[in-house]
Amino acid sequence: MKFSYSSIFTFYRNIKSKIVFYPTLFALSGLLFAFVMMYLENRGISRYLVDNVPVLVVNNGDTALTILSACITGLISMMVFSFSMVMLLLNQASTNYSPRLLPGLISDRNHQFILGIYLASILYCVFILFSIQPTGDKYQVPGFSVLLGILFTVACIYAFIYFIHNISQNIQITYILDKTFLSAKETLEKLLKHENDLSTDFPDTDNWKEYHTEKSGYFQDFSTQYLLDFCKEKEVKLEILPVKGIFVLQGIPVFRCSKELSEEEVQNVLERFHFSRAELVSENYILAFKQITEVIVKAMSPGINDPGTALNAIDYLTELLQLRMLKADETFISDDNENYVKVRSVNFDELLYNVMAAIRTYCKQDIIVVQKVGTMFYYLQTQKVQNDKYYKTLSREAERMLEDAGNVLDNHADLAVLSHISHKLQLPQRKE
């Protein structure tokens, strides 16, 4: 039962971010509702309304056919246009910002809901259309079902208006950055809440038995509760080797165990590791740093040349780094103040280096961006940290940024700004 539940949960996690997931659910709902209405029509619901509220019922077969045909044609046109707009959004985001943003945009539930409403209404109208008898009397026309089809079409029109508003908002870089930031912030805050008052005691794992995976893909997550229960039951401890978000190849070690496990036990543990071909910020906050960094780099490219976007992205990057400095480099899964599972994560030193290496390479020639980055480092140096070594990491990366900028810039005013930033950050003065 545990295996079945884990398999179902894994399948749901993998498919819920697909653009067809919610539209498919809505389409099936529309199809089911059409059959329900056919059943009610056979039970005489339209006959009752014709006798009591005739104004609500279409009692002419030809008129009903014409109305539903027009509704189906209009809904298909709106759906095609909406899909085209979604593809345009994805193409523009990929071209102007970063391809890594696409999974998050595709998984936007508002777009999926709207497309699902279209599909549900189309299928409903099509199947109701089949049940109409043009030559029948007024009591044989599914008048109430036709009325519902008209109302669904009106609802689709309003959904289309909302869709235009929503997609025009989603295509703005400020909205994309804000959505990415909030998703990563939520993930980080959950991790910080879990780390409060936890011990960091854990035995040395160098001599532990390693176990390999038979799957490949981006390592997204694992079943925390199952691994905790497994460790308690078997009286063992585990270390998760790959960092979340990394692409794991087949045959790569994925965990170590303090005791040797049977083949069945190893298989049960491996089934609790979730791999995917897509990357989502909600699953791995590190991806948010990559996305925001790539937005900064893309904005500073000659083809885009949008330093304003880079400055906005640096603000979001600053807030995320401030949150990350509150988190420890090591993560444990614990119960009753005892650590059972050690989880590897990207340490702050590596994270900041990867972020700043890209920014240094592509932004060092713009003094305004360099100045903004200097402000970011000054702010971070005044914030609370989980480990004091983070301050040294900040100073080292700030010094590298100013050194690279100083090697490129030759204007005396720009060099004076660099000197001021260096003094403000209390860094060694650069020798000319």
Side-chain angles (χ1 to χ4, degrees):
M1 179 60 70
K2 288 184 178 180
F3 175 78
S4 300
Y5 175 78
S6 177
S7 300
I8 294 173
F9 182 69
T10 301
F11 175 76
Y12 172 74
R13 287 167 58 93
N14 292 334
I15 199 174
K16 70 176 182 178
S17 61
K18 308 298 182 182
I19 195 172
V20 298
F21 177 63
Y22 286 105
T24 301
L25 293 182
F26 275 85
L28 293 176
S29 300
L31 182 62
L32 178 63
F33 186 67
F35 285 112
V36 170
M37 289 306 303
M38 290 180 187
Y39 172 77
L40 294 178
E41 292 292 350
N42 291 332
R43 302 288 294 181
I45 184 173
S46 289
R47 178 185 295 271
Y48 173 81
L49 292 176
V50 166
D51 293 336
N52 295 273
V53 196
V55 71
L56 295 179
V57 182
V58 178
N59 54 18
N60 183 276
D62 290 332
T63 303
L65 284 173
T66 303
I67 291 175
L68 287 181
S69 298
C71 290
I72 293 171
T73 303
L75 289 174
I76 292 176
S77 299
M78 283 197 301
M79 186 179 68
V80 171
F81 180 78
S82 299
F83 269 110
S84 300
M85 290 294 292
V86 170
M87 294 302 106
L88 177 64
L89 167 66
L90 299 180
N91 180 67
Q92 180 167 340
S94 176
T95 303
N96 294 347
Y97 309 134
S98 170
R100 292 184 183 273
L101 299 174
L102 297 187
L105 296 175
I106 291 175
S107 61
D108 191 307
R109 291 188 179 182
N110 290 330
H111 296 165
Q112 296 180 20
F113 288 164
I114 293 171
L115 297 177
I117 292 173
Y118 292 163
L119 286 174
S121 300
I122 290 173
L123 289 177
Y124 172 83
C125 291
V126 167
F127 279 88
I128 294 300
L129 187 66
F130 290 157
S131 66
I132 297 177
Q133 301 178 18
T135 58
D137 60 32
K138 64 179 182 180
Y139 293 113
Q140 294 176 310
V141 177
F144 184 62
S145 299
V146 174
L147 174 65
L148 290 180
I150 297 172
L151 294 179
F152 290 158
T153 303
V154 173
C156 288
I157 294 174
Y158 281 99
F160 178 73
I161 295 173
Y162 172 75
F163 177 81
I164 296 298
H165 162 75
N166 191 59
I167 202 168
S168 62
Q169 181 185 43
N170 287 8
I171 210 169
Q172 299 176 19
I173 185 59
T174 52
Y175 175 85
I176 295 175
L177 287 173
D178 191 59
K179 182 179 178 181
T180 303
F181 165 75
L182 292 177
S183 181
K185 179 182 178 182
E186 181 180 358
T187 304
L188 270 172
E189 287 178 343
K190 289 181 181 178
L191 294 174
L192 290 173
K193 184 178 180 181
H194 175 73
E195 285 185 359
N196 289 339
D197 302 325
L198 288 182
S199 171
T200 58
D201 293 333
F202 202 79
D204 183 65
T205 64
D206 291 340
N207 297 323
W208 288 8
K209 175 71 174 179
E210 293 183 347
Y211 296 94
H212 304 73
T213 177
E214 299 177 356
K215 299 180 180 179
S216 62
Y218 289 101
F219 175 46
Q220 298 289 3
D221 204 355
F222 51 86
S223 178
T224 302
Q225 189 59 47
Y226 176 84
L227 293 185
L228 187 61
D229 294 339
F230 178 84
C231 290
K232 290 181 178 180
E233 180 182 351
K234 305 297 181 181
E235 297 183 350
V236 297
K237 293 189 177 183
L238 302 176
E239 180 186 16
I240 309 299
L241 298 178
V243 176
K244 282 187 179 182
I246 194 174
F247 191 85
V248 178
L249 297 172
Q250 184 178 358
I252 295 297
V254 292
F255 76 93
R256 291 173 178 168
C257 185
S258 57
K259 296 181 181 179
E260 188 169 355
L261 303 177
S262 67
E263 185 175 347
E264 181 181 358
E265 291 171 337
V266 172
Q267 189 63 30
N268 288 337
V269 173
L270 289 176
E271 288 295 336
R272 271 61 187 186
F273 286 76
H274 308 309
F275 297 93
S276 173
R277 293 290 175 174
E279 299 178 282
L280 296 175
V281 176
S282 58
E283 305 290 347
N284 178 25
Y285 72 90
I286 296 296
L287 184 59
F289 288 95
K290 295 180 181 178
Q291 291 182 355
I292 295 176
T293 302
E294 289 182 0
V295 168
I296 296 172
V297 171
K298 198 70 174 287
M300 295 304 298
S301 65
I304 304 299
N305 193 23
D306 184 13
T309 295
L311 296 178
N312 291 338
I314 291 173
D315 290 330
Y316 287 102
L317 185 62
T318 303
E319 290 192 66
L320 281 184
L321 287 172
Q322 185 270 327
L323 278 175
R324 176 57 182 83
M325 291 195 307
L326 298 176
K327 181 184 179 304
D329 284 339
E330 295 180 336
T331 303
F332 301 94
I333 299 175
S334 310
D335 190 44
D336 295 331
N337 294 324
E338 182 176 358
N339 296 325
Y340 289 95
V341 182
K342 180 180 179 180
V343 184
R344 288 190 178 181
S345 60
V346 178
N347 59 56
F348 183 74
D349 184 68
E350 182 181 357
L351 173 64
L352 188 60
Y353 175 80
N354 290 334
V355 169
M356 291 306 304
I359 294 178
R360 282 191 285 112
T361 301
Y362 296 96
C363 304
K364 58 188 176 184
Q365 75 282 357
D366 192 308
I367 185 59
I368 302 300
V369 175
V370 173
Q371 192 173 21
K372 185 72 171 182
V373 173
T375 303
M376 177 188 76
F377 279 117
Y378 178 75
Y379 170 78
L380 294 176
Q381 284 182 341
T382 62
Q383 300 303 301
K384 181 181 178 182
V385 295
Q386 194 277 337
N387 193 319
D388 288 340
K389 69 178 183 180
Y390 293 170
Y391 291 129
K392 296 181 180 179
T393 301
L394 291 172
S395 298
R396 181 171 62 251
E397 291 302 328
E399 187 175 354
R400 290 172 178 172
M401 179 70 190
L402 296 179
E403 180 182 357
D404 284 2
N407 292 332
V408 173
L409 300 173
D410 52 11
N411 186 281
H412 292 293
D414 295 342
L415 294 176
V417 171
L418 294 182
S419 178
H420 174 72
I421 296 173
S422 179
H423 177 74
K424 190 176 182 180
L425 296 175
Q426 297 181 355
L427 301 176
Q429 294 297 311
R430 177 175 180 269
K431 295 181 180 179
E432 299 296 338

